[in-house]
Amino acid sequence: MSVQELVVRRGRRSGVTTMVAVHSSTLGPAVGGCRFKVYPRVHDAIGDVLRLSAAMTRKCAVAELDFGGGKSVVALDGVPSAEQRREILLDHADLIASLDGAYLAGPDVGTGPEDMLVLRERTPHVFCLPEEHGGTGSSSGPTAVGVLAALRAGARAVFGDDGMKGRRVVIGGYGSVGAHLAGALAARGAEVVVSDVDDRRLAAAREQGLPLVQPEKVLGIEADVLIPAAVGGVFGPGTEVAAPLVVGPANNQLTEDTVADDLAARGVVYTLGREKVNLTHAEALTRVEALEKTTQGILDAASANGTTPLAEADALAEARLTSGAEPRTPSPREPRTAA
């Protein structure tokens, strides 16, 4: 996997291994979230940060953002105390600072605005600080808006309209983004079913009167829409998916790109949402809502060219990375194959 720069360092305060991968700076400084996660081995964390940074390059290019792709990972071996967490964050901040603006960090799995505030003590190259400290706060709201925008385009492609009334939607992961989505879709008349591995989140879902399902059964539930809103790596070769439309915010939902072909062969339309940084709230929501048009274009091109949405998104990203221009949409007689 090609990467521009990978830095792995053991923190001088905490002794915990942290890392940053800059996949590309062709369009601008690399941007990506900071992931706190327990990994069996450091090698697994390195593989994760490389995959995630590559995905961020494609996301930024497709979304027409002037940023490259990057990611950072803290490879935990257990759950740290509050004091240990602060030491780890400061170590990670020193690593980010050493890159001198080549990588900009934001929240990801395991981190939030308050963590970004700690990073900011050692480096200015951080976004999504708490609003009371001049930042934009949690990105979960705009992320959910982006998923809903992509969902509208996907629903039109699969069902012929973007109405959600009476449609069954399964959400895997009832965190901040999943909760936003559940509320918005229920308000639109969808029958929402949720799942999570965290008992506290399940309790919150019960309080909202939402039906629950065990995490291991999410993919097999008969539904109209499946939304993976937790971690990635959900779909691998041969994974059975019962819903005809998959739309989710989780990064790297496919274990490998060839899985997109498997899903397409089984009639499953797969798309995803993404977010924009460093804008006012109103500007950010405007850009996020534009994902509906971008997603629609990708789905239309995949249908016309006999390819997958992933292949068309990759082609769109590659065109911008190499020339800054959008690729011409071929006619159905000119099928495009994935690189």
Side-chain angles (χ1 to χ4, degrees), residues 39 48 69 114 149 174 196 242:
Y39 291 88
D48 207 17
E114 293 297 332
Y174 194 72
D196 205 291

Side-chain angles (χ1 to χ4, degrees), residues 26-37:
T26 299
L27 300 176
V31 64
C34 168
R35 177 164 294 196
F36 256 51
K37 185 179 174 182

Side-chain angles (χ1 to χ4, degrees), residues 17-327:
T17 300
T18 75
M19 61 196 70
V20 173
V22 175
H23 180 264
S24 172
S25 58
T26 299
L27 300 176
V31 64
C34 168
R35 177 164 294 196
F36 256 51
K37 185 179 174 182
V38 175
Y39 291 88
R41 303 172 300 163
V42 171
H43 177 77
D44 298 315
I46 292 174
D48 207 17
V49 79
L50 291 175
R51 286 189 296 271
L52 291 166
S53 66
M56 287 304 301
T57 293
R58 294 190 291 187
K59 286 184 177 183
C60 289
V62 170
E64 299 184 354
L65 307 182
D66 295 327
F67 293 102
K71 206 74 176 183
S72 62
V73 161
V74 174
L76 299 174
D77 54 11
V79 179
S81 66
E83 181 179 353
Q84 291 170 330
R85 185 182 184 88
R86 176 174 170 78
E87 291 180 343
I88 295 168
L89 286 166
L90 292 174
D91 285 337
H92 194 50
D94 286 341
L95 174 55
I96 293 169
S98 72
L99 296 176
D100 197 26
Y103 165 70
L104 311 178
D108 195 77
V109 173
T111 59
E114 293 297 332
D115 297 311
M116 299 304 103
L117 192 60
V118 177
L119 294 180
R120 192 62 173 265
E121 293 180 24
R122 306 289 299 178
T123 176
H125 306 300
V126 181
F127 58 91
C128 286
L129 272 68
E131 292 186 49
E132 61 269 26
H133 291 275
T136 58
S138 173
S139 61
S140 59
T143 299
V145 172
V147 174
L148 292 171
L151 174 55
R152 289 194 295 271
R156 286 194 298 272
V158 175
F159 309 122
D161 65 77
D162 59 14
M164 285 292 110
K165 186 174 182 179
R167 299 202 187 281
R168 194 176 201 199
V169 181
V170 178
I171 302 176
Y174 194 72
S176 54
V177 176
H180 273 290
L181 293 169
L185 290 167
R188 293 182 60 190
E191 177 192 343
V192 178
V193 180
V194 303
S195 177
D196 205 291
V197 297
D198 189 314
D199 289 339
R200 291 171 299 178
R201 293 175 178 174
L202 292 176
R206 287 192 192 95
E207 290 180 3
Q208 298 301 315
L210 296 172
L212 306 179
V213 66
Q214 295 177 337
E216 62 272 18
K217 296 182 179 179
V218 164
L219 300 184
I221 294 178
E222 292 290 338
D224 298 296
V225 183
L226 171 63
I227 299 180
V231 296
V234 177
F235 307 103
T239 299
E240 293 296 329
V241 182
L245 176 60
V246 178
V247 184
N251 285 322
N252 288 359
Q253 294 171 21
L254 310 183
T255 58
E256 53 189 82
D257 286 356
T258 56
V259 176
D261 297 307
D262 296 339
L263 293 175
R266 282 178 273 151
V268 177
V269 173
Y270 162 85
T271 181
L272 54 84
R274 50 185 71 85
E275 64 181 279
K276 166 67 171 158
V277 300
N278 291 341
L279 296 175
T280 67
H281 182 69
E283 290 171 336
L285 289 182
T286 298
R287 289 298 301 266
V288 170
E289 291 283 5
L291 293 175
E292 182 175 352
K293 180 179 178 181
T294 301
T295 303
Q296 189 67 61
I298 289 171
L299 293 173
D300 289 345
S303 177
N305 301 329
T307 61
T308 67
L310 177 62
E312 294 299 332
D314 282 347
L316 182 60
E318 184 64 21
R320 184 157 191 251
L321 288 166
T322 56
S323 67
E326 292 186 1

